[in-house]
Amino acid sequence: EAGVAQSPRYKIIEKRQSVAFWCNPISGHATLYWYQQILGQGPKLLIQFQNNGVVDDSQLPKDRFSAERLKGVDSTLKIQPAKLEDSAVYLCASSLAAGIQETQYFGPGTRLLVL
Amino acid sequence: AQSVTQLGSHVSVSEGALVLLRCNYSSSVPPYLFWYVQYPNQGLQLLLKYTSAATLVKGINGFEAEFKKSETSFHLTKPSAHMSDAAEYFCAVSVRSSYKLIFGSGTRLLVRP
């Protein structure tokens, strides 16, 4: 079975520019997660979708970050405008359902560098 | 609030030696606990998880972890390290009221030949 796909794998932008990341979850997985992993830290959940609805976005900086999951499949995460502190790896994960025993499967991530 | 503390940002062992990676959690309710491994330039892969069944949990690649409520610990062990075990390991906690995973800061395992 194909894993979680993410693109691009790397992105370099200047501060105040905008950037978008794309995620395609495992087929049939209803729940999708976006995590931010800053160098030297563990991943931090930004937003969780159940189908195309938002379950948790409490740690998403909504003044600059936005995410959508149209049709309950693919998802995009956007940053506008980017700041230096947004430099991180952005990980997408998916699970079959939203449940504490459900395994989250992670994509390879998009490494963002903001100059 | 739930949290996870991983002691030691770097652990170095010789090939064939015991691997011990430490994880302590804080949770006001019985937690679910996870260990993930991350190889360079890859996403995280689940090693094992504790979901209140057996306290000794066996995972992939010969790893296991023991849940100790009295010590609020969930340390990861492997009897004999292999070069291919070199990676970063993350402990995570989730609680019954939320599906959110809260990760520790990670421990990088180095395996010396």
Side-chain angles (χ1 to χ4, degrees):
Chain A
E1 126 186 304
V4 176
Q6 290 188 246
S7 67
R9 291 296 310 276
Y10 305 92
K11 190 75 176 179
I12 301 174
I13 62 172
E14 295 189 349
K15 60 183 179 183
R16 291 187 289 273
Q17 286 187 322
S18 63
V19 64
F21 313 128
W22 174 81
C23 173
N24 181 234
I26 293 173
S27 177
H29 279 196
T31 310
L32 185 146
Y33 313 79
W34 282 103
Y35 289 87
Q36 180 192 57
Q37 186 178 15
I38 293 173
L39 187 64
Q41 300 181 19
K44 181 184 78 172
L45 181 69
L46 291 176
I47 189 167
Q48 176 184 344
F49 292 95
Q50 177 66 21
N51 295 310
N52 59 352
V54 175
V55 174
D56 185 341
D57 63 356
S58 58
Q59 297 196 80
L60 186 73
K62 298 179 186 62
D63 57 334
R64 298 183 301 105
F65 286 64
S66 64
E68 60 182 10
R69 191 183 184 198
L70 300 176
K71 301 181 181 178
V73 182
D74 293 7
S75 177
T76 56
L77 176 69
K78 297 179 181 178
I79 307 175
Q80 182 179 6
K83 292 185 175 181
L84 296 178
E85 58 260 36
D86 297 332
S87 294
V89 177
Y90 291 85
L91 295 166
C92 180
S94 70
S95 61
L96 198 58
I100 204 156
Q101 298 198 51
E102 293 293 335
T103 296
Q104 294 185 26
Y105 295 88
F106 285 78
T110 295
R111 188 176 298 273
L112 173 67
L113 179 59
V114 182
L115 302 176
Chain B
Q2 295 76 40
S3 66
V4 167
T5 301
Q6 292 185 241
L7 297 176
S9 59
H10 292 79
V11 170
S12 180
V13 300
S14 297
E15 191 173 19
L18 171 72
V19 175
L20 171 61
L21 305 181
R22 299 178 187 275
C23 172
N24 288 88
Y25 69 90
S26 172
S27 176
S28 57
V29 296
Y32 285 155
L33 295 160
F34 304 78
W35 275 100
Y36 280 84
V37 60
Q38 186 175 35
Y39 298 101
N41 297 317
Q42 295 186 29
L44 282 75
Q45 179 184 5
L46 181 67
L47 274 178
L48 50 81
K49 61 183 178 183
Y50 167 76
T51 57
S52 75
T55 56
L56 182 62
V57 182
K58 294 186 183 298
I60 62 172
N61 301 337
F63 284 94
E64 63 181 37
E66 186 173 8
F67 173 71
K68 292 187 176 180
K69 184 178 178 181
S70 61
E71 299 177 8
T72 61
S73 69
F74 190 58
H75 301 331
L76 182 70
T77 61
K78 182 174 181 178
S80 176
H82 192 272
M83 296 297 291
S84 61
D85 294 328
E88 187 143 26
Y89 292 79
F90 292 93
C91 182
V93 63
S94 186
V95 293
R96 299 171 192 274
S97 59
S98 167
Y99 308 137
K100 182 186 301 185
L101 284 177
I102 298 171
F103 286 87
S105 56
T107 297
R108 185 168 298 278
L109 176 66
L110 307 171
V111 182
R112 304 185 303 271

